């Protein structure tokens, strides 16, 4: 009995998961401004960074193929540069996804006249 039922099926499952490259969808919802600036203009400017959000998500999908949910990112912008970023909500339960998003957001650049605090709901869904 020693060694019976031990891992044969498990190894096949791991192999199948590795063979399938995970992909998913990252979408940015309505951006809210806490100081009256135009959230829609900020959302439009942030579209170019959607690939970074997707990259964070897909790297975490490799660890958890069922990962999905909503993350609320808050950024403080000063003269077009993200000064601080924080995850204020994360329904995915994956703190590393939140850390990746927050880290990437600190490198984002917006139009130079953009200043304020903005909240962005991000939705992540497996393909």
């Amino acid at each position: 009995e020693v060694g019976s039922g031990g891992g044969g099926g498990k190894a096949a499952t791991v192999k199948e998961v590795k063979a399938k490259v995970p992909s998913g969808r990252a979408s940015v919802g309505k951006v809210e401004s806490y100081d009256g600036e135009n959230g829609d203009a900020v959302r439009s400017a942030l579209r170019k960074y959607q690939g970074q959000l997707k990259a964070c998500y897909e790297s975490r999908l490799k660890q958890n193929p069922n990962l999905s949910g909503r993350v609320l990112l808050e950024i403080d912008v000063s003269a077009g540069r993200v000064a601080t970023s924080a995850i204020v909500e994360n329904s995915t339960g994956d703190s590393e996804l939140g850390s990746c998003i927050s880290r990437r957001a600190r490198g984002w650049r917006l139009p130079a006249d953009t200043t304020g605090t903005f909240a962005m709901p991000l939705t992540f869904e497996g393909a």
Side-chain angles (χ1 to χ4, degrees):
E1 277 190 63
V2 174
S4 68
K10 197 171 192 176
T13 306
V14 170
K15 194 173 186 178
E16 287 167 18
V17 169
K18 282 187 178 180
K20 184 180 178 192
V21 177
S23 70
R25 209 168 64 93
S27 54
V28 180
K30 183 168 174 53
V31 174
E32 292 207 24
S33 169
Y34 296 137
D35 351 66
E37 279 228 22
N38 188 347
D40 289 337
V42 171
R43 181 175 191 257
S44 176
L46 291 174
R47 279 203 181 104
K48 65 183 171 190
Y49 297 114
Q50 203 147 350
Q52 291 183 11
L53 298 173
K54 189 175 179 196
C56 285
Y57 179 50
E58 289 182 347
S59 79
R60 297 307 302 149
L61 271 177
K62 291 174 188 169
Q63 306 301 314
N64 178 0
N66 299 317
L67 183 66
S68 66
R70 184 175 177 271
V71 174
L72 185 63
L73 172 68
E74 191 176 276
I75 58 172
D76 286 311
V77 181
S78 177
R81 294 180 174 263
V82 176
T84 62
S85 65
I87 302 301
V88 291
E89 271 179 44
N90 185 348
S91 74
T92 69
D94 189 310
S95 62
E96 287 186 46
L97 174 62
S99 296
C100 180
I101 292 166
S102 184
R103 214 173 26 253
R104 294 285 182 104
R106 286 193 285 275
W108 294 351
R109 298 291 175 259
L110 297 156
D113 62 346
T114 306
T115 295
T117 303
F118 303 90
M120 286 167 288
L122 310 170
T123 305
F124 298 95
E125 301 167 320

